[in-house]
């Protein structure tokens, strides 16, 4: 067979629309036997005739064809997805060689966006090292928790793949490999609860989630329970409602695409919208095929008769079945062209339109579901601009927060995202909890309370150190049994009767948001009863101050109850947290339990500091009052220096050393709440390229700082400068000038580095505009 011709600089001709996306079937076999797989379980069985693995010579030929096409059409970027089967069956060495070959040939012509779709079962640190080295971003297939995932995604012997997939996702979440984490792909199954699926996926902290309708067509229609006209729309809309309520904590491609079309912009998915489907598949033997989901229609549906050795990509692009999918509205059937929502729906996925006799000249078999989904989702309020595929906070919220203070509405959205992440973490732990007798009782009680007393559950889950415990528990560094303490605290707040075992740690039973109860043993399990807001244990009865600001000077009495002290702030509570066992998340030592007199000094000073923020830094008061839920006392610095800290895993908490006056404490609180706000943004929105390891010199540190550290520093110092700007006197003016100079220089350095995403650049330029607007 002849080799591809040399690269050409002339366009191939006006009749051929260029293709920018390529799916390379690197391996044509799989280590799972998913019963809904369109490659192995649907009518087209051509995989049996394919080589198991793509030969290096075929990879080279594919690379040359792509480069030839990119040069001819002057493409800036092309996307190549390594696919299968299961591409990890190729092994780390073959993956690395394939990525290197593609980059060496395509890279000089166009930017290569290299990706891989995998079931994750065989993902190892060695493979992840290869992915990072060659800048390959990987998407993982996961259908939810174990019960949901094992409904279809099993090994050939019927065994579960769930724990192996979670292990792969844990690897991709780690700092070393996070840059290669592209997201999660999930197939909708009506038998699975949509909220449990959503929460299980969210718990894996994916950059994106992609929900796919199961492959079906008019000859093989999807399952529809009796009496339900639009069950798939109903399932997705349940996710949509929760996603909106959570503040859109992660981009969901199908929903983001519909919101984008509602704003007059293009779709981000081939499943909806009228954008051209500029994609071609290359099988392991080098043959060009149409989009591989067509294999669900009939045997040979995806075939083109072309291959990379004898034909150019232009030839594939000109194939009638591929070319028609680039014509937008004109390529749809008459029913779709007349539909009022066609601009959003786009006729649905091409494979779902098939019917024997007239091929793909039909509406989608999911037409009623798509119609309802479009009408509900696109009727929802949207920002003036659509969110970017990489952003799950709207530009309006980012712009508001970039101003420095931000409004209460933006802070409330960050708080909602935090709560959603905590819920997702707990759902992810629920499977393990079923095998732990203490945690199992706690989980069952928490689920019941969430139905009957959601406000009580919400108040406990919003506590900063519940999230920190859940994160540590997921990673194997904390005890799962603490889940029973979380449930018991919610039961006290709900004033319901509950009887359950709870763990003892260091002689205490800890109830988040309420305090701790000293018992006579250092470790173990004791029986705790809650009843009408009281707690009984071993014959003792105590009454926590649930939801109220109790006497901060109260000493710990003989009943063993150590209440959380708090400050009442216009209907809210700011906790002085010195009992929670998971508060030790700072680089500075936390203080042990405070005496009543010490607690009174702290709470009075916190109240004065917050009042001072209200008076002197009005804009920042909204963020402080909305996001700050707990202050952790730190030990005094031997040098007498004031110190404060915030931790990303303890959203809503600030740790502070003893401070001489409320004016200094006010500045520290504003400073740390800025860190909380930026941490909340970074939970759901990439502001910088996490693979960029470059550092910057900043005037407030001796050591060079990574981009994330500089972002945190400049955002906090902007607020500190703003606070000093509003205070009178030459000392305040000197502080303002120093912090403004620090902020000025760091903003310029960030903008010049080239490591920011479009959202990050927008955010930093917003801060730049704020600083430039000061007199």
């Amino acid at each position: 067979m002849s080799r591809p011709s040399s690269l050409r600089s002339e366009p191939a001709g006006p009749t051929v629309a260029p293709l920018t996306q390529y799916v390379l079937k690197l391996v044509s076999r799989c280590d799972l036997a998913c019963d809904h797989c369109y490659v192995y379980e649907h009518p087209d069985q051509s995989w049996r005739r394919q080589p198991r693995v793509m030969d290096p010579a075929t990879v080279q030929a594919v690379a040359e064809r792509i480069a030839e096409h990119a040069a001819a059409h002057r493409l800036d970027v092309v996307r190549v997805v390594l696919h299968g089967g299961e591409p990890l069956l190729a092994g780390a060495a073959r993956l690395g060689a394939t990525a290197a070959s593609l980059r060496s040939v395509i890279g000089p012509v166009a930017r290569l966006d290299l990706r891989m779709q995998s079931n994750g079962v065989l993902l190892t640190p060695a493979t992840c090292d290869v992915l990072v080295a060659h800048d390959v971003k990987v998407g993982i297939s996961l259908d939810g928790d174990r019960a949901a995932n094992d409904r279809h995604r099993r090994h050939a012997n019927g065994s579960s793949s769930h724990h192996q997939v979670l292990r792969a996702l844990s690897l991709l979440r780690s700092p070393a490999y996070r840059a290669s984490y592209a997201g999660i792909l999930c197939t909708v199954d009506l038998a699975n609860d949509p909220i449990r699926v959503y929460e299980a996926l969210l718990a894996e902290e994916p950059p994106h989630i992609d929900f796919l309708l199961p492959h079906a067509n008019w000859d093989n229609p999807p399952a529809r329970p009796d009496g339900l006209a639009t069950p798939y729309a109903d399932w997705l809309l349940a996710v949509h409602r929760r996603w909106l309520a959570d503040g859109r904590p992660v981009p969901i491609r199908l929903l983001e695409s519909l919101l984008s079309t509602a704003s007059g912009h293009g779709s981000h998915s081939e499943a909806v919208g009228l954008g051209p489907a500029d994609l071609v598949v290359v099988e392991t033997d080098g043959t060009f095929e149409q989009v591989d989901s067509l294999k669900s229609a009939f045997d040979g549906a995806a075939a083109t008769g072309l291959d990379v050795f004898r034909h150019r990509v232009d030839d594939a692009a000109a194939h009638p079945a591929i070319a028609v999918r680039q014509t937008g509205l004109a390529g749809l059937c008459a029913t779709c062209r007349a539909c009022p929502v066609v601009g959003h729906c786009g006729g649905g996925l091409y494979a779902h339109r098939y019917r024997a006799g007239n091929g793909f000249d039909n509406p989608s078999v999911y037409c009623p579901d798509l119609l309802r989904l479009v009408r509900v989702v696109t009727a929802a309020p949207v920002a003036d601009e659509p969110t970017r595929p990489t952003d799950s906070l709207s530009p309006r919220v980012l712009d508001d927060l970039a101003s420095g203070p931000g409004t209460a509405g933006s802070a409330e959205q960050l708080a909602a995202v935090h709560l959603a992440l905590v819920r997702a973490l707990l759902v992810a732990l629920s499977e393990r909890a079923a095998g732990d007798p203490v945690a199992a009782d706690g989980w069952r009680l928490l689920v019941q309370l969430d139905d009957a007393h959601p406000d009580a559950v919400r108040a406990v889950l919003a506590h900063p150190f519940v999230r920190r415990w859940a994160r540590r528990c997921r990673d194997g560094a904390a005890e799962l049994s603490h889940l029973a303490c979380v449930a018991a605290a919610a039961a006290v707040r709900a004033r319901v009767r509950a009887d359950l075992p709870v763990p003892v740690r260091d002689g205490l039973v800890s109830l988040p948001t309420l305090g701790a109860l000293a018992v006579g043993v250092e470790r173990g399990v004791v029986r705790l009863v809650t009843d009408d807001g009281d707690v009984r244990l071993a014959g003792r009865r105590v009454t926590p101050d649930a939801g109220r600001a109790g006497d901060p000077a109260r000493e710990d009495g003989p009943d063993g109850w150590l209440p959380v002290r708090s400050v009442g702030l216009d209907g809210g509570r700011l906790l002085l947290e010195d009992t929670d066992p998971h508060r030790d998340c700072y680089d500075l030592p936390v203080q042990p339990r405070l005496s009543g007199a010490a607690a009174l000094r702290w709470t009075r000073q916190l109240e004065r500091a917050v009042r001072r923020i209200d008076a002197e830094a009005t804009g920042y008061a909204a963020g402080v009052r909305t996001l700050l839920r707990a202050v952790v006392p730190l030990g005094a610095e031997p040098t007498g220096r004031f110190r404060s800290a915030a931790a990303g895993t303890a959203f809503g908490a600030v740790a502070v050393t003893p401070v001489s006056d409320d004016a200094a404490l006010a500045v520290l609180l504003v400073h740390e709440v800025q860190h909380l706000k930026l941490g909340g943004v970074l939970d759901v929105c990439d502001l910088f390229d996490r693979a960029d390891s470059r550092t910057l010199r900043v005037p407030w540190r001796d050591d060079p700082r990574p981009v994330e550290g500089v972002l945190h520093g400049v955002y906090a110092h902007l607020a500190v400068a703003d606070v000093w700007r509003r205070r009178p006197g030459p000392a305040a003016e000197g502080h303002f000038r120093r912090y403004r100079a620090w902020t000025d220089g760091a903003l310029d350095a960030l903008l010049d580095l080239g490591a920011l995403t479009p959202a990050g650049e927008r955010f930093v330029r917003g801060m730049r505009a704020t600083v430039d607007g000061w007199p």
Side-chain angles (χ1 to χ4, degrees):
M1 294 184 179
S2 63
R3 304 297 296 167
S5 60
S6 60
L7 301 182
R8 296 179 294 114
S9 59
E10 309 83 27
T15 60
V16 177
L19 302 182
T20 65
Q21 300 186 71
Y22 303 83
V23 174
L24 266 60
K25 297 288 185 172
L26 186 61
V27 177
S28 189
R29 301 295 186 273
C30 192
D31 50 349
L32 293 183
C34 307
D35 58 17
H36 58 7
C37 179
Y38 59 83
V39 175
Y40 302 109
E41 302 298 330
H42 282 262
D44 191 314
Q45 293 291 297
S46 58
W47 64 271
R48 299 178 184 276
R49 301 186 294 274
Q50 290 291 339
R52 288 180 176 271
V53 182
M54 185 177 285
D55 187 83
T58 306
V59 173
Q60 181 71 17
V62 173
E64 291 175 359
R65 285 301 191 194
I66 295 173
E68 172 188 61
H69 188 71
H73 293 274
R74 299 183 177 90
L75 300 179
D76 295 326
V77 60
V78 295
R79 173 175 290 184
V80 175
V81 181
L82 305 180
H83 213 278
E86 174 46 55
L88 289 179
L89 287 170
R94 179 66 68 87
L95 283 172
T98 299
S101 179
L102 292 168
R103 288 207 177 279
S104 65
V105 177
I106 300 170
V109 179
R111 183 171 69 83
L112 175 59
D113 178 6
L114 188 54
R115 298 180 176 246
M116 181 172 73
Q117 185 63 38
S118 169
N119 60 38
V121 168
L122 297 178
L123 195 69
T124 64
T127 309
C128 287
D129 288 338
V130 169
L131 298 177
V132 171
H134 294 279
D135 191 18
V136 182
K137 291 179 171 54
V138 59
I140 299 294
S141 298
L142 177 70
D143 285 350
D145 59 15
R146 178 168 180 168
N149 196 69
D150 288 355
R151 209 176 290 281
H152 301 289
R153 298 189 186 277
R154 299 183 299 271
H155 290 279
N157 64 2
S159 62
S160 171
S161 67
H162 188 249
H163 68 286
Q164 294 166 302
V165 181
L166 293 194
R167 182 187 61 200
L169 291 167
S170 179
L171 271 175
L172 290 172
R173 283 196 308 271
S174 66
Y177 306 129
R178 179 77 191 189
S180 287
Y181 191 4
I184 293 177
L185 182 150
C186 174
T187 300
V188 172
D189 189 321
L190 299 180
N192 297 329
D193 179 80
I195 302 306
R196 286 185 65 87
V197 169
Y198 164 80
E199 290 176 331
L201 302 185
L202 192 64
E204 302 305 319
E205 300 177 16
H208 296 83
I209 295 175
D210 203 359
F211 285 109
L212 303 182
L213 292 169
H215 288 309
N217 54 54
W218 292 101
D219 289 354
N220 295 287
R224 290 187 183 278
D226 292 342
L228 297 178
T230 58
Y232 295 91
D234 296 342
W235 197 99
L236 288 165
L237 287 172
V239 172
H240 174 251
R241 287 191 296 273
R242 175 62 181 275
W243 179 66
L244 290 181
D246 288 347
R248 296 165 66 177
V250 62
I252 295 179
R253 187 159 66 142
L254 176 59
L255 302 180
E256 296 276 5
S257 294
L258 291 177
L259 289 173
S260 180
T261 62
S263 298
H265 295 73
S267 169
H268 313 308
S269 169
E270 68 169 324
V272 293
L274 288 171
D278 58 343
L279 178 147
V280 70
V281 177
V282 183
E283 281 286 358
T284 51
D285 64 353
T287 54
F288 284 119
E289 288 198 340
Q290 302 170 62
V291 61
D292 46 356
S293 59
L294 292 180
K295 294 177 184 292
S296 64
F298 59 89
D299 190 20
T304 66
L306 309 174
D307 63 69
V308 298
F309 300 104
R310 297 175 300 164
H311 305 93
R312 302 168 303 156
V313 175
D314 281 356
D315 299 323
H319 188 280
I322 293 178
V324 72
R325 301 186 62 211
Q326 304 230 23
T327 59
L329 185 66
L332 300 180
C333 69
T335 302
C336 288
R337 291 198 301 271
C339 180
V341 304
V342 68
H344 307 294
C345 161
L349 198 69
Y350 191 64
H352 298 167
R353 307 174 200 168
Y354 177 74
R355 187 198 302 264
N358 67 341
F360 299 93
D361 192 29
N362 305 287
S364 169
V365 72
Y366 290 103
C367 183
D369 297 278
L370 291 172
L371 182 61
R372 173 164 165 73
L373 184 67
V374 167
R375 283 179 169 163
V376 174
V377 173
T378 60
V382 295
D384 293 336
E385 300 176 60
T387 56
R388 299 179 58 84
T390 54
D391 303 340
S392 58
L393 290 175
S394 73
R396 185 174 292 170
V397 172
L398 279 177
D399 290 347
D400 178 46
L401 292 170
S403 70
T407 60
S410 294
E412 286 165 1
Q413 187 168 109
L414 295 180
V417 168
H418 158 69
L419 187 61
L421 292 173
V422 175
R423 286 181 175 278
L425 284 166
L426 293 182
V427 170
L429 293 173
S430 64
E431 183 180 328
R432 284 171 50 199
D436 183 300
V438 176
D441 283 358
W443 175 249
R444 282 191 291 270
L445 175 60
L446 198 62
V447 170
Q448 294 165 8
L449 292 172
D450 200 28
D451 285 337
H453 303 277
D455 290 344
V457 173
R458 190 179 302 114
V460 176
L461 299 192
H463 189 54
F465 302 112
V466 171
R467 176 173 174 179
R468 199 223 172 197
W469 158 76
R471 284 282 298 269
R472 296 182 71 236
C473 192
R474 184 196 64 189
D475 298 334
E479 296 172 346
L480 184 62
S481 57
H482 185 66
L483 181 60
C485 295
V486 175
V492 172
R493 287 182 164 277
R495 305 185 68 84
V496 302
R497 179 177 174 79
D499 183 342
L500 74 165
V502 292
V504 180
R505 174 176 171 173
D506 299 328
L508 299 174
V509 172
S510 176
L511 300 179
T513 72
L514 301 177
L517 187 60
V519 298
V521 294
E522 280 297 300
R523 298 191 73 83
V525 176
V526 294
R527 202 86 197 174
L528 183 143
V529 178
T530 70
D531 187 12
D532 195 26
D534 289 348
V535 173
R536 290 194 318 233
L537 189 151
R540 287 176 291 161
R541 188 183 190 103
V542 299
T543 303
D545 295 320
R548 299 185 299 275
D551 179 8
R554 173 181 168 183
E555 295 287 354
D556 303 331
D559 60 4
W561 177 239
L562 284 61
V564 170
R565 284 72 167 247
S566 62
V567 180
L569 297 173
D570 299 336
R573 278 180 91 202
L574 175 58
L575 305 182
L576 182 67
E577 185 58 83
D578 61 355
T579 64
D580 195 286
H582 300 283
R583 71 189 190 281
D584 57 343
C585 53
Y586 308 99
D587 293 333
L588 302 165
V590 299
Q591 283 203 35
R593 177 66 171 174
L594 299 173
S595 68
L600 182 61
R601 287 194 299 272
W602 272 94
T603 53
R604 284 180 173 173
Q605 191 177 51
L606 283 169
E607 183 175 7
R608 291 195 302 270
V610 174
R611 300 295 182 196
R612 187 150 191 161
I613 293 169
D614 289 340
E616 293 183 348
T618 309
Y620 295 93
V624 170
R625 287 180 172 275
T626 302
L627 298 180
L628 187 59
R629 299 184 183 277
V631 171
V632 176
L634 297 174
E637 279 278 289
T639 62
R641 179 186 174 194
F642 304 151
R643 298 285 298 276
S644 60
T649 57
F651 183 85
V654 164
V656 187
T657 61
V659 179
S660 61
D661 61 84
D662 51 277
L665 181 57
V667 174
L668 290 180
L669 293 180
V670 169
H671 178 278
E672 296 303 337
V673 169
Q674 290 295 97
H675 286 305
L676 295 180
K677 286 192 286 190
L678 187 59
V681 171
L682 292 174
D683 274 337
V684 293
C685 184
D686 285 332
L687 298 183
F688 61 95
D689 181 359
R690 294 185 180 273
D692 195 320
S693 60
R694 289 177 293 170
T695 58
L696 289 170
R697 289 280 181 185
V698 292
W700 61 86
R701 291 285 293 256
D702 294 331
D703 55 326
R705 305 297 293 154
V707 173
E708 183 171 5
V710 179
L711 274 169
H712 266 285
V714 76
Y715 194 54
H717 290 143
L718 180 150
V720 173
D722 204 4
V723 172
W724 285 115
R725 182 173 72 90
R726 299 164 190 270
R727 288 184 177 176
E733 183 178 350
H735 289 311
F736 164 63
R737 290 183 181 280
R738 179 176 62 165
Y739 282 101
R740 174 175 179 159
W742 286 1
T743 307
D744 254 338
L747 287 171
D748 291 341
L750 282 169
L751 291 170
D752 291 342
L753 187 63
L756 300 175
T757 64
E761 182 154 340
R762 181 185 187 118
F763 189 77
V764 173
R765 290 195 183 281
M767 287 193 282
R768 172 82 274 166
T770 296
V771 173
D772 290 344
W774 291 339

